[in-house]
Amino acid sequence: MTESFRRSGEYESYDGYGNPQQGTPQHASSPVNPEWPPPPAQPPVQQVMAEPPAPAPRKRARGPLALLAAVAIVAAAIGGGTAYAFQELTGNDTVATSSTSTNVVPAAKKGDVATIAAAVSPSVVEISATLDNGSSTGSGVIITSSGEIVTNNHVISGASSIKVTTSNGKTYTAKVVGTDSKKDLALIKLEGASGLKPATLGNSSGVQVGDTVVAIGSPEGLSGTVTSGIVSALNRDVTVSTDEGQGQGGGDGRWPFSFGGQQFNGDTGSSTTTYKAIQTDASLNPGNSGGALIDAAGDIIGINSAMYSASSQSSSGSSDAGSVGLGFAIPINTVKSDLANLRSGSTN
């Protein structure tokens, strides 16, 4: 209680403003017993009531953790095999690559030929090149949604015009972007193309003998043909021509190359290059050149480039030539390392 006590007859006098007058005893502000201690300035009960806001810092402490968790989720999504989705969202013409397994083919369907064919066939095209002495047919692999296509140099070498047919039957005109005859590689670009499905380029350094593989191409002009087999050997020396027009094999699609000291499909000429190839027993035939060699996860591990045929050792072009289970592909890591060079417009 803050009530004051006064002795009988003692009253305060005030001026016109309500203030005590000078000299007048003022008992209201003094307790009856001056020995009582003054009350505490801030009762303990108020200190107890001031404690509830303490949880607020704990709420703020959770903010950075939530932010870090959100960043981690986004990073995992970008790093988890979503290169193609990122490309489509940003508009960047980026090649989809993978150094590990991807979800091109679901894990439960890994190695299933039908599933691999369905997933990758839209990324493989038929290439028809017009030559001075006729025409030839090969294959190619789409690597960007805007229509960049990797193929063999010998498929388009010496061509005056190039037509490309996609898996849905649509035809485009293509221009040569760059060539590398030393690696038997070429990059062409479709005119007016968009929204195409690029293949995912895998990692050929992890390929082992005995691995299951699938080949997709256009043998004898039969686009979208699928064959399967295994990797039967690695690092085989395959030699092809680097002379423009020399590699056309008379326009019949049977590209000359040499292997093991023997010439196949005609004469490679005097100017040649040799590369280390993946050997496969998946059936390859004329027209498969430039097509895809695919692993069990649906990733491209090689570009098919040459086939051995027991009936093709002369340049006569025997009609009974065909696959006997020895085909060769350029490792995809060789392709990836050469892409910048090809995109620069190089024609070496």
Side-chain angles (χ1 to χ4, degrees):
M1 294 178 59
T2 59
E3 184 178 356
S4 299
F5 293 87
R6 296 184 180 88
R7 295 188 182 91
S8 175
E10 292 184 352
Y11 297 93
E12 294 177 352
S13 64
Y14 297 86
D15 61 18
Y17 296 95
N19 297 316
Q21 292 183 351
Q22 295 289 335
T24 304
Q26 299 178 18
H27 303 282
S29 60
S30 300
V32 175
N33 188 351
E35 295 179 358
W36 290 357
Q42 188 171 356
V45 66
Q46 294 181 357
Q47 295 179 357
V48 174
M49 294 177 63
E51 292 180 0
R58 290 197 294 271
K59 292 181 180 179
R60 290 194 297 270
R62 289 198 294 269
L65 296 178
L67 178 60
L68 290 175
V71 171
I73 292 171
V74 172
I78 293 176
T82 57
Y84 173 64
F86 183 78
Q87 168 191 329
E88 292 300 307
L89 289 172
T90 61
N92 294 333
D93 215 9
T94 306
V95 178
T97 65
S98 174
S99 59
T100 58
S101 61
T102 67
N103 49 358
V104 175
V105 173
K109 292 288 187 178
K110 186 175 181 180
D112 182 77
V113 175
T115 303
I116 295 170
V120 184
S121 287
S123 304
V124 181
V125 301
E126 178 183 340
I127 298 175
S128 298
T130 300
L131 314 172
D132 292 338
N133 59 346
S135 63
S136 62
T137 301
S139 304
V141 177
I142 300 171
I143 62 170
T144 64
S145 61
S146 62
E148 283 187 331
I149 293 173
V150 170
T151 187
N152 288 138
N153 177 62
H154 69 247
V155 170
I156 53 87
S157 178
S160 57
S161 65
I162 302 171
K163 295 289 185 182
V164 172
T165 304
T166 59
S167 63
N168 61 4
K170 190 171 183 178
T171 300
Y172 296 88
T173 298
K175 298 294 185 182
V176 176
V177 176
T179 61
D180 189 343
S181 60
K182 293 181 175 60
K183 295 183 176 67
D184 194 20
L185 292 172
L187 182 69
I188 63 176
K189 178 71 180 292
L190 305 186
E191 296 182 340
S194 64
L196 302 180
K197 182 180 180 180
T200 299
L201 308 187
N203 182 9
S204 53
S205 66
V207 175
Q208 298 181 10
V209 174
D211 283 351
T212 297
V213 289
V214 174
I216 303 178
S218 302
E220 306 292 354
L222 302 173
S223 61
T225 296
V226 178
T227 57
S228 64
I230 64 168
V231 173
S232 53
L234 297 171
N235 300 316
R236 294 299 200 196
D237 290 330
V238 173
T239 301
V240 296
S241 175
T242 57
D243 290 334
E244 185 173 296
Q246 181 68 34
Q248 306 306 321
D252 62 0
R254 297 171 57 246
W255 319 112
F257 73 100
S258 63
F259 171 70
Q262 300 184 69
Q263 296 271 357
F264 303 99
N265 301 343
D267 186 6
T268 56
S270 59
S271 180
T272 61
T273 186
T274 301
Y275 57 83
K276 298 290 186 181
I278 299 171
Q279 179 181 306
T280 178
D281 68 352
S283 180
L284 302 181
N285 291 284
N288 268 116
S289 287
L293 189 67
I294 311 156
D295 68 11
D299 298 331
I300 310 299
I301 58 167
I303 299 297
N304 298 321
S305 58
M307 54 154 280
Y308 168 82
S309 174
S311 301
S312 62
Q313 297 187 32
S314 69
S315 59
S316 61
S318 173
S319 61
D320 61 353
S323 175
V324 293
L326 283 177
F328 304 96
I330 300 170
I332 202 63
N333 285 7
T334 300
V335 178
K336 291 193 291 187
S337 67
D338 204 29
L339 272 179
N341 176 55
L342 295 172
R343 281 175 162 165
S344 71
S346 173
T347 55
N348 55 24

